[in-house]
Amino acid sequence: MAYPTGTPIDELAIENLRTTLAAIATPTYHGSVREVRRFQHGDEFEFREFPSILIAPPLTNWDDTLSNAQSGTVQLTLTAFVEDREANQTSLNWLAADIRKALTADYTRGGYARDTHIVSQQTFQLIAEAGAVTGVDIVVSINLRHIYDDPNTAI
């Protein structure tokens, strides 16, 4: 059997997550996200617009003990930044709520995932020479399943 062509479902689910986050905008949400990026190993990045979201590289665990299928869990950390030293806990919670609302609107990630879970969130503040940013880390878990020998076909 020839190896399937196309894009693996884990990549498709993560891309759906990215486009979902990029679509966060008022009036449907409390605020608007200005920039969403996937971090690639070795990348240097600088956000110029806020709020912004960085999607960290995923940790994926696969289980191939199922008959004719592989199931997996993709765990991602989303780091949402606001450029405001005075940002209070309430504004960060609104940003986190917008992210949670967007991600749970379609928990199947466009049909590529079985479900999506918000695992945890934690706020933080970073102070550097260029200024301060505050933000929130949100851990997301995406459960997938595909045909055993075809990682591009969700089941």
Side-chain angles (χ1 to χ4, degrees):
M1 175 179 207
Y3 193 79
T5 60
T7 304
I9 61 167
D10 50 340
E11 273 300 311
L12 294 170
I14 295 169
E15 180 57 22
N16 173 277
L17 180 135
R18 189 195 67 72
T19 57
T20 297
L21 294 172
I24 293 174
T26 56
T28 307
Y29 297 92
H30 294 100
S32 297
V33 171
R34 304 291 303 261
E35 188 173 1
V36 179
R37 287 184 154 174
R38 282 186 69 182
F39 180 80
Q40 303 294 330
H41 292 289
D43 276 358
E44 291 185 26
F45 66 92
E46 178 181 343
F47 286 109
R48 299 182 192 280
E49 299 185 69
F50 295 91
S52 56
I53 301 172
L54 177 67
I55 303 171
L59 168 66
T60 306
N61 293 303
W62 290 103
D63 175 9
D64 63 358
T65 59
L66 300 172
S67 178
N68 298 319
Q70 281 192 323
S71 64
T73 302
V74 176
Q75 189 162 331
L76 298 156
T77 300
L78 310 176
T79 302
F81 300 97
V82 292
E83 186 181 35
D84 183 0
R85 181 177 297 202
E86 304 304 319
N88 60 36
Q89 190 66 40
T90 302
S91 64
L92 291 174
N93 284 338
W94 281 121
L95 176 59
D98 283 347
I99 292 168
R100 290 193 316 271
K101 178 181 177 181
L103 293 181
T104 57
D106 175 15
Y107 62 89
T108 69
R109 308 273 50 92
Y112 300 112
R114 297 179 68 77
D115 55 33
T116 302
H117 298 280
I118 310 300
V119 177
S120 64
Q121 76 179 52
Q122 181 173 1
T123 58
F124 63 88
Q125 183 176 45
L126 300 173
I127 300 173
E129 288 181 28
V133 293
T134 56
V136 59
D137 284 331
I138 299 176
V139 177
V140 176
S141 178
I142 303 171
N143 295 309
L144 310 165
R145 185 178 292 171
H146 65 76
I147 295 174
Y148 188 82
D149 61 352
D150 184 358
N152 305 333
T153 304
I155 55 172

